[in-house]
Amino acid sequence: MATKWPKPAEGSWTQHYPDLGTGPIPFRDSISPEFYALERETIFKRAWLNVSRVEETPEAGSYITRQVEAAGASLLLVKAHDGTVRAYHNLCRRRGHTVVPADFRATELRSTGHELECAHCGWRYGLDGTLRFLPDADRFAGLDTADYGLIPVHCDVWAGFVFVNFDREPRQSLREFLGPMITALDDYPFDKLTERYDWVAHNNSNWKIFADAFQEYYHVPSLHTQQVPPEVRDPNAGFTCGHFQLDGPHRLVSTAGTRRWLLAPEYMYPIERATQSGLVGPWRTPDIGELPMHGLNPGNIEPWGITNFQIFPNLEILIYGGWYLLYRYWPTSHNTHRYEAFTYFHPARTVRERIEHEVAAVVLKEFALQDAGMLGGTQAALEYDVIDDYPLNDQEILVRHLHKMAVDWVETYQHELTPAGA
């Protein structure tokens, strides 16, 4: 989309946020095992991390598991009797066995009723984490069960998104961490969009390298050539986003959207014409109520199409008209990560709507995996470490910001470890 949008008064987005600098940047933060070890300590063990939505544990006793390799943790997320979602380390206090088998996807809801039982030794824990029963209790004479409950992890919920924090004492509440740009979505009806499609990809790249692909649309005309049929494809097409915004460690990009249904038939694939759905989602979506457009479209882009909210460190919420995408990037080493993607729609009311949703989910998966297919080569090339200065244009300001935030958090951590006067 070649539409040109007004620049900030300073003349460019990078000048609008001068603390980011304007020169080329290195990507050594994405190829260094030593830097990744520091990221684990200072980012993934200190930041609030989204691990689920409340719909995944709907009733008291329902639970799911989550693996957070960057924090060295296996988690149990449990719906307690008081209606809260609680997080515990998935470790039995007897010998450290997992209380329940860990499923890193955990897409299937599991329910315990009132207790969690270790499959190895039979110790049973209440939904509040307390140790309720141990076989042959007389063999543990004098053991105070109050001291041997499940180990809790800080857990809080915003807008139905469940977050955890592994720090001994979080430096900010979840709401303080998210800040006003993200919490401007408080009134968005996420709870009405509960029909979910998901997929997982294991990638041979640093987690930030894939995140970069969704922080700029400069690459779209070159990489995603299937966006329009070849007969009408414009090789000189460009794509300019209308609005960028930063708030603390978080970012957003907002852009106009093509109304596919207004295009001439030759600009659409047959599947789009037949199902009236595709890359921009279903052409028609149910009324989900009044939307907080001041938060959804802070740049007043018209016609508004999508806003991508990027919550540091590894969460993206991409909101379209009447539905949304969710991405998470979970590091598994300095040069590998697990990419989790979800599409959320209003529950289908007809067979046709269900087909529209499935078509949109499949098309979006194809486009995301086109990005993923480049990652191994990108990582390998970066690891040659022969270039130290990669230029970024004004449309790549969010790439610049993410890498600066990672470096800033690591440097802050190192400063805290340095004795005064050293």
Side-chain angles (χ1 to χ4, degrees), residues 277-386:
S277 183
L279 183 62
V280 296
W283 293 1
R284 299 175 304 273
T285 56
D287 183 2
I288 56 175
E290 185 175 354
L291 302 179
M293 294 306 296
H294 65 287
L296 274 181
N297 184 15
N300 297 313
I301 302 300
E302 293 296 341
W304 174 74
I306 176 177
T307 300
N308 181 343
F309 295 84
Q310 304 184 10
I311 301 175
F312 188 79
N314 66 328
L315 173 69
E316 295 188 22
I317 305 174
L318 301 87
I319 302 179
Y320 292 74
W323 63 283
Y324 74 99
L325 286 162
L326 184 76
Y327 296 155
R328 300 189 192 106
Y329 309 93
W330 294 110
T332 50
S333 75
H334 80 281
N335 59 8
T336 61
H337 76 277
R338 183 176 68 253
Y339 165 59
E340 299 175 350
F342 307 83
T343 51
Y344 289 88
F345 303 99
H346 186 283
R349 300 163 298 179
T350 65
V351 172
R352 180 179 182 86
E353 286 187 354
R354 178 61 184 267
I355 293 172
E356 291 172 0
H357 296 170
E358 294 202 14
V359 167
V362 169
V363 172
L364 285 156
K365 177 180 179 180
E366 166 62 23
F367 272 73
L369 294 183
Q370 287 176 17
D371 288 292
M374 302 290 291
L375 298 178
T378 300
Q379 186 71 33
L382 287 173
E383 290 185 357
Y384 293 147
D385 201 18
V386 296

Side-chain angles (χ1 to χ4, degrees), residues 94-264:
R94 177 175 171 267
R95 293 259 298 279
H97 299 286
T98 55
V99 177
V100 297
D103 173 1
F104 79 86
R105 290 189 68 185
T107 55
E108 296 299 325
L109 173 67
R110 291 182 275 185
S111 181
T112 63
H114 301 287
E115 293 181 323
L116 296 155
E117 181 175 350
C118 176
H120 185 268
C121 67
W123 283 31
R124 298 205 298 265
Y125 302 88
L127 303 184
D128 61 357
T130 58
L131 178 60
R132 294 286 183 83
F133 171 80
L134 59 160
D136 296 329
D138 58 312
R139 298 186 182 183
F140 295 90
L143 181 70
D144 187 350
T145 58
D147 295 332
Y148 287 89
L150 296 175
I151 305 297
V153 176
H154 296 286
C155 184
D156 202 353
V157 177
W158 165 76
F161 295 92
V162 180
F163 288 77
V164 297
N165 190 305
F166 291 99
D167 209 353
R168 185 179 299 275
E169 190 58 48
R171 289 153 173 76
Q172 294 175 292
S173 69
L174 173 60
R175 192 167 186 85
E176 290 170 339
F177 173 73
L178 293 175
M181 185 180 76
I182 303 301
T183 57
L185 297 177
D186 281 348
D187 297 327
Y188 187 84
F190 292 107
D191 59 327
K192 294 182 179 179
L193 305 176
T194 56
E195 184 179 312
R196 187 185 81 177
Y197 300 80
D198 64 90
W199 67 92
V200 173
H202 298 271
N203 298 292
N204 294 323
S205 81
N206 183 270
W207 63 281
K208 298 184 294 297
I209 296 302
F210 200 174
D212 288 343
F214 297 103
Q215 299 191 99
E216 50 83 12
Y217 299 137
Y218 179 81
H219 73 280
V220 170
S222 298
L223 179 60
H224 302 299
T225 56
Q226 297 177 12
Q227 189 169 6
V228 294
E231 295 79 9
V232 292
R233 192 174 297 151
D234 180 2
N236 299 313
F239 201 117
T240 300
C241 296
H243 182 76
F244 300 91
Q245 192 166 319
L246 309 178
D247 182 16
H250 314 302
R251 305 167 300 288
L252 73 74
V253 54
S254 188
T255 184
T258 300
R259 272 53 178 168
R260 302 287 290 179
W261 52 92
L262 298 180
L263 297 177

